[in-house]
Amino acid sequence: MSKFDAIRPFYDTEVNDAILKMIDHPMMKALMNFTFPDLADEIWKEQLRRTHSTRDFQCNFIYRSLKKVLEKTSDGLSTSGFEKLEPNTAYLFISNHRDILLDTSLLNACLFEHKLVMTASAIGDNLVTKSFLKVLARLNRNFLVQRGLSPREMLQSSKLLSEYISKLLQHENRSVWIAQREGRTKDGNDATNPGVLKMLAMGSDEENLMDYFKKIKIVPVSISYEYDPTDALKMPQLLAEARQEIYIKEKNEDFINLMSGIMGPKRRIHIHVGDVLVDELDAIKGQHENSNKQIQALAQVIDDSILSNYKLWPTNYIAYDILNQTDTYSHLYTENEKSLFERRLEMRIDHSNSLALQSFLAMYANPVVNKLKYENAV
């Protein structure tokens, strides 16, 4: 028994048993029929029966599923920055968070294609309440972040999580993906929650936090989707927050968002990996002795990287211009692109609800506003 058993992915020795228990599950059949539409069920089942490691499962099945998702629901994935990463090296990827499963899955597909170390990835246990999804997550090298805990339990959980992440990075040479905040960005404002960094800091084995963060090689990641398939699904929560009401999720809401994110149309997608943070950490160490101030400064450095490297699409510029009743960025999109966006707006949002209209437009426009803070970035 390991103290990490409640949160860790499967060991390779457990993979085959887990697959065999799920091989006849209707969701496994749906996933495999989507991925291999021309294969008889018995053929992919036989291939699954011969799978004995996480890497084989990821590369032979999940990677193929992802390529099929991109083919059917997007106009392609572009990347930048991966050439800066070293092979056989573990990194801590801290990413903005737009889609429940795709953010980390697409990053891993890119790491695989660039022959780099793939990640173990954090996922909220609220997203895998269905037994099949939990097994699939653990097969796909996800580790669980426990949600809905009391403050005391939260402290214990954070300590365990930070130790596990430190173990992966420093002793198993396994990269790690974690979102910059709990939950997806709903309003288009990507911001690092210092609480995530405080949790990571609990795993420190250095006197100065910045020395620890330098050792575990933090790489900020910016991911952007031309269209967010879940944009309209995010509206109830945004409207509740705007009215200062407590938002309570519907039953199965997470699952609906998860499936919509995967299967909904996205058009183009871009992933940028930033520079490994080194000089920035030395500067923070020199400027601040207090660890809380160091963490605040580090959150800002991560934000600067994510926001300045965020790829803006015509949809972002169109939303900005409509929201601000201007044509400032009209040279960056076509009339056809604008009418497509307006059509989406018409179909998804009640135009008599001005708050809903504003919130929907701001979701796409805020990345432009945020990027304007950086000279020559837009």
Side-chain angles (χ1 to χ4, degrees), residues 135-240:
V135 170
L136 192 61
R138 294 184 70 200
L139 281 171
N140 204 27
R141 206 180 269 122
N142 287 284
F143 57 90
L144 299 179
V145 180
Q146 294 163 311
R147 302 282 193 225
L149 304 176
S150 69
R152 183 189 170 86
E153 290 169 329
M154 176 65 94
L155 187 65
Q156 291 170 328
S157 172
S158 295
K159 184 89 180 90
L160 186 71
L161 197 57
S162 67
E163 285 178 31
Y164 184 63
I165 289 170
S166 179
K167 176 175 177 280
L168 289 169
L169 290 162
Q170 297 198 82
H171 302 295
E172 297 186 14
N173 199 37
R174 171 61 56 199
S175 288
V176 169
W177 176 94
I178 193 165
Q180 65 179 162
R181 45 167 289 167
E182 180 183 330
R184 293 165 300 146
T185 302
K186 310 289 193 304
D187 60 3
N189 285 317
D190 296 308
T192 303
N193 182 341
V196 171
L197 302 179
K198 284 179 182 171
M199 178 277 291
L200 292 167
M202 288 180 175
S204 173
D205 51 8
E206 293 286 342
E207 200 173 320
N208 191 295
L209 267 187
M210 294 304 107
D211 292 334
Y212 174 64
F213 282 132
K214 197 197 288 192
K215 198 161 68 172
I216 60 175
K217 301 184 182 69
I218 295 176
V219 177
V221 177
S222 311
I223 183 161
S224 68
Y225 300 82
E226 189 166 6
Y227 277 104
D228 178 351
T230 63
D231 48 18
L233 294 172
K234 291 175 179 174
M235 296 311 298
Q237 185 171 346
L238 282 174
L239 294 177

Side-chain angles (χ1 to χ4, degrees), residues 126-346:
N126 57 305
L127 301 173
V128 290
T129 51
K130 295 179 189 296
S131 60
F132 175 80
L133 288 179
K134 187 171 182 179
V135 170
L136 192 61
R138 294 184 70 200
L139 281 171
N140 204 27
R141 206 180 269 122
N142 287 284
F143 57 90
L144 299 179
V145 180
Q146 294 163 311
R147 302 282 193 225
L149 304 176
S150 69
R152 183 189 170 86
E153 290 169 329
M154 176 65 94
L155 187 65
Q156 291 170 328
S157 172
S158 295
K159 184 89 180 90
L160 186 71
L161 197 57
S162 67
E163 285 178 31
Y164 184 63
I165 289 170
S166 179
K167 176 175 177 280
L168 289 169
L169 290 162
Q170 297 198 82
H171 302 295
E172 297 186 14
N173 199 37
R174 171 61 56 199
S175 288
V176 169
W177 176 94
I178 193 165
Q180 65 179 162
R181 45 167 289 167
E182 180 183 330
R184 293 165 300 146
T185 302
K186 310 289 193 304
D187 60 3
N189 285 317
D190 296 308
T192 303
N193 182 341
V196 171
L197 302 179
K198 284 179 182 171
M199 178 277 291
L200 292 167
M202 288 180 175
S204 173
D205 51 8
E206 293 286 342
E207 200 173 320
N208 191 295
L209 267 187
M210 294 304 107
D211 292 334
Y212 174 64
F213 282 132
K214 197 197 288 192
K215 198 161 68 172
I216 60 175
K217 301 184 182 69
I218 295 176
V219 177
V221 177
S222 311
I223 183 161
S224 68
Y225 300 82
E226 189 166 6
Y227 277 104
D228 178 351
T230 63
D231 48 18
L233 294 172
K234 291 175 179 174
M235 296 311 298
Q237 185 171 346
L238 282 174
L239 294 177
E241 286 167 2
R243 292 190 293 258
Q244 296 185 315
E245 296 169 358
I246 293 170
Y247 180 71
I248 297 164
K249 285 183 180 178
E250 298 282 341
K251 193 182 176 214
N252 276 341
E253 185 172 329
D254 286 327
F255 182 67
I256 291 162
N257 270 282
L258 185 149
M259 292 309 295
S260 302
I262 294 169
M263 298 312 299
K266 295 162 263 295
R267 299 205 68 171
R268 291 171 290 183
I269 308 164
H270 187 80
I271 298 180
H272 175 85
V273 295
D275 295 331
V276 183
L277 301 184
V278 178
D279 296 344
E280 298 88 346
L281 298 178
D282 288 337
I284 291 169
K285 185 180 172 181
Q287 288 160 6
H288 306 286
E289 284 184 19
N290 177 287
S291 61
N292 277 335
K293 286 190 173 164
Q294 287 184 339
I295 278 174
Q296 294 287 345
L298 177 55
Q300 187 58 58
V301 164
I302 293 167
D303 286 352
D304 290 345
S305 175
I306 288 173
L307 296 174
S308 62
N309 290 303
Y310 185 96
K311 167 87 171 167
L312 294 171
W313 302 106
T315 48
N316 303 116
Y317 296 118
I318 292 163
Y320 180 94
D321 279 355
I322 296 173
L323 191 59
N324 295 286
Q325 298 179 317
T326 177
D327 60 359
T328 306
Y329 294 111
S330 59
H331 60 291
L332 294 172
Y333 54 83
T334 64
E335 276 305 311
N336 185 43
E337 285 169 330
K338 186 176 182 184
S339 45
L340 276 173
F341 184 82
E342 287 173 330
R343 176 86 180 116
R344 184 184 188 90
L345 193 57
E346 211 174 280

